[in-house]
Structure formats: structure tokens, C-alpha cells
Amino acid sequence: MIANNFLKLLNINNSRTISYILIKKVMWLASGVPRRLMRAFAFPLAAVWYLFDHYHRKIAIDNVMKAYGDRLSRRECRKLVRANFFHLMTVALELPSLLRLRKDNVDSYVEISGEQHLRSALSRGRGVLFLTAHLGNWELMALAPGLKYDFSVYVMVRPLDYAPMDNVLTEIRSRTGNIVLDKDKSAGAVRELLKQNQIIGILMDQNSSWYEGVYVPFFGRVACTNKGPAMFALRYGATVVPAFNFRLKNGKYRITFCPPVDPIRTGNVSRDIVETTALFNRIIEAHIKMAPDNWLWIHRRWRIKDIPQSARKKIKGNMLSGLSL
């Protein structure tokens, strides 16, 4: 029995290794295709995706209706979703090109503004939290500024379920000096990193479980939101710098570092976490509205996950007045 289990494990590991090698080779070959041509492929592929992926199309339309239903007709919402599918397909097809990203060609990928805000935040010496979202090409945004200005970012991510692809993606994310952290296992390291005045990037626009988030508005609706950035800023004095990017008509992306944002401090720590998280949501929402087709509408952002009855009293205290589950 032990021998059989060992052989099964060996076969699984061999399969994963082969998959990893194949994915890596395909990605490298695809990286040689000009980005402009890859974007041309995105049009027909996105049309097919939109036509046949009923599951994600429904999620995206429902989300857009929740966010814009009072301002856009259903037809206009569908048009926005189609544009979003094209954008997301473009981002996916651009992923291999990140293997060719270098210091001497980074300006052909991005335009960056607000460097002074980042420098100002670093000068405070208390560590920097990038407040960002799945907007534009978030993978490119994590790599390009570090190449241009010679700094590294500790990027907090959720590992992919498919290990071979996760390994390849981790290599891409770290190839310019960034360090990838598992968001579920790295909270304890954050304090030390901030003490060392390091930069930590957190995408906080995805739905959180009840035990790791607070319930605050997002596009006027209750959304369980990651409270980590607010806690880090309040507890450790880290400087929060909103950082976002959008795709331009010429195919490049504009990355913007915004002025640092101070957390809300009233002396009531629990309330401050909720209010500060709500503030961060407002900042993210404002940037999504600048380029709504660039956001990840296919994610179930307003899904209220199963909540134990024993936790509901705690959650009521984590909600701003006027909100209800």
C-alpha cells in the first residue's frame, strides 16, 4: 500500500513537472509575438469567450447592473461587459510579454506619474502599502515601476489552485526583484517588513470571507472587504499610497501613484478599521469609474459567503450605519 501511494504521488509530481515545463515553454514562445498583434487576437477571442462563457458573463452583467443600473440601461451594461471581456482577454494575452520586460524597454509598456508621492511616502520610514485593485494590467503594474525606479515590492497574492501555472506566474511576478507572499500566511511578516521600510502591494478589491473582512459600501452596496490594509496602517503607522493603472488607446498603460492617504483615527480602533476600509473602498471605486471596462467585473464582489449565526452579532458591529446584510 505504501509503495502504491508513493507511485501515485510520483506520478502526480511528474505530471505537474511536465505541465510546468510545457506552460513555461509556451509562455516563452508567445512572448516573442508583438504585443500589438496579441491585442489584435483579443478581439475575436473575447467575442467567443463572451458568447460561450454564460457563467462569467452573467456574473459580470449582474455586477455592472448593481454598480451602474441606476445610470445605464441594460443594453449599455451589456456593452460595458463586452468591452470588459475584450480588456481582460487583452491582459491575459499580454502576460507572456512580461517575460521580455526590461529596464531598457519599460517605457514602451507604461507611462508613470506621481513618483514624488512614492518617494515622499518612503521618506517617512514606516513602510509603504500600495492600495490597489484588479484594474488595468495589474501584473504589469507590479513589475514596471520597480524596474524603472530600482525598488522591490512584496506582493501579497492568493496562490492559484493549479500549481504548475501558479509556479510559472510566481516566476514572472518575481523576475524583476519583487517578492511574492501568500496572503493567508504572511500577516506575521508584514510588521517586520514595514519596520524595514519595505513596500507591500495589496489588491483589496475582491470579496473576503466574513472572518477576514468588514462590511462596508462599494458602489453603494454591502461588500465584505479585506480589513488588512486598514489594520496595518493603523497598527504599524504604514503609509498608504493608492496606485492604479489604465490601458491607453496606444496599447500602453498609465500607472499613477496618488498622494498618501492617512487612516481615520478616532480612538475607537474597531470603528477606525471599518471607517478606514470604507475610505479605501471609495478610493478604489473612484478609480474604477475612470475606466470601468478595465476592472475585473467577472469576480463575484458582492457575494455574502456563509456566516455562522454566532458571528452575526460581531458582524453587526463591523458595519457602517445604514447598511444591512
Side-chain angles (χ1 to χ4, degrees), residues 18-31:
I18 293 171
S19 297
Y20 163 77
I21 293 172
L22 287 174
I23 292 171
K24 194 168 182 179
K25 286 188 177 296
V26 170
M27 292 281 279
W28 179 252
L29 289 172
S31 72

Side-chain angles (χ1 to χ4, degrees), residues 186-197:
S186 304
V190 170
R191 180 180 180 181
E192 294 304 314
L193 291 172
L194 294 176
K195 279 184 178 180
Q196 297 167 22
N197 202 28

Side-chain angles (χ1 to χ4, degrees), residues 143-181:
L143 295 174
L147 272 178
K148 190 170 179 66
Y149 302 127
D150 297 313
F151 64 79
S152 297
V153 179
Y154 287 82
V155 185
M156 298 188 75
V157 303
R158 177 192 176 279
L160 298 179
D161 295 330
Y162 185 53
M165 186 63 205
D166 184 67
N167 291 338
V168 173
L169 189 55
T170 297
E171 289 182 6
I172 293 174
R173 287 168 169 166
S174 58
R175 62 178 296 271
T176 61
N178 288 350
I179 299 90
V180 176
L181 302 175

Side-chain angles (χ1 to χ4, degrees), residues 38-292:
M38 277 295 200
R39 287 193 292 272
F41 291 154
F43 280 104
L45 290 176
V48 172
W49 180 27
Y50 179 86
L51 181 63
F52 290 102
D53 189 349
H54 303 283
Y55 177 75
H56 287 105
R57 186 178 70 222
K58 183 180 185 303
I59 291 174
I61 292 173
D62 287 346
N63 283 342
V64 171
M65 289 293 293
K66 287 176 181 176
Y68 288 100
D70 59 338
R71 283 160 285 176
L72 299 177
S73 67
R74 189 169 184 85
R75 181 179 180 182
E76 290 171 322
C77 288
R78 285 182 175 274
K79 182 179 179 181
L80 174 54
V81 170
R82 284 194 293 270
N84 183 235
F85 270 53
F86 165 70
H87 168 75
L88 295 176
M89 181 60 69
T90 301
V91 170
L93 293 178
E94 288 172 337
L95 186 61
S97 73
L98 301 184
L99 291 168
R100 307 274 181 169
L101 182 66
R102 304 182 305 275
K103 191 175 183 66
D104 62 359
N105 69 4
V106 65
D107 289 334
S108 69
Y109 285 73
V110 298
E111 299 174 2
I112 304 178
S113 63
E115 177 193 358
Q116 72 275 16
H117 299 310
L118 175 59
R119 299 297 183 192
S120 173
L122 287 169
S123 70
R124 298 184 184 184
R126 293 175 297 186
V128 175
L129 295 174
F130 278 158
L131 170 65
T132 189
H134 293 84
L135 189 66
N137 188 327
W138 54 91
E139 300 290 354
L140 173 60
M141 188 180 71
L143 295 174
L147 272 178
K148 190 170 179 66
Y149 302 127
D150 297 313
F151 64 79
S152 297
V153 179
Y154 287 82
V155 185
M156 298 188 75
V157 303
R158 177 192 176 279
L160 298 179
D161 295 330
Y162 185 53
M165 186 63 205
D166 184 67
N167 291 338
V168 173
L169 189 55
T170 297
E171 289 182 6
I172 293 174
R173 287 168 169 166
S174 58
R175 62 178 296 271
T176 61
N178 288 350
I179 299 90
V180 176
L181 302 175
D182 184 333
K183 76 176 188 67
D184 294 326
K185 301 177 181 179
S186 304
V190 170
R191 180 180 180 181
E192 294 304 314
L193 291 172
L194 294 176
K195 279 184 178 180
Q196 297 167 22
N197 202 28
Q198 298 295 331
I199 302 171
I200 301 173
I202 303 177
L203 296 107
M204 61 165 287
D205 59 328
Q206 291 195 305
N207 198 53
S208 294
S209 298
W210 64 268
Y211 51 83
E212 63 183 7
V214 290
Y215 291 80
V216 291
F218 188 63
F219 280 92
R221 291 176 175 268
V222 176
C224 189
T225 305
N226 183 0
K227 62 187 176 185
M231 293 176 64
F232 296 148
L234 288 162
R235 183 175 298 174
Y236 306 131
T239 304
V240 178
V241 176
F244 299 95
N245 77 105
F246 310 109
R247 185 164 56 86
L248 303 173
K249 290 183 178 180
N250 62 9
K252 294 202 292 185
Y253 289 82
R254 175 173 292 131
I255 299 173
T256 302
F257 297 113
C258 304
V261 177
D262 294 323
I264 296 171
R265 296 181 183 274
T266 66
N268 183 328
V269 176
S270 296
R271 189 70 179 181
D272 290 347
I273 290 173
V274 176
E275 295 282 0
T276 300
T277 303
L279 169 63
F280 293 166
N281 261 4
R282 290 195 295 272
I283 293 171
I284 292 173
E285 179 181 328
H287 283 84
I288 291 173
K289 288 178 177 177
M290 294 179 188

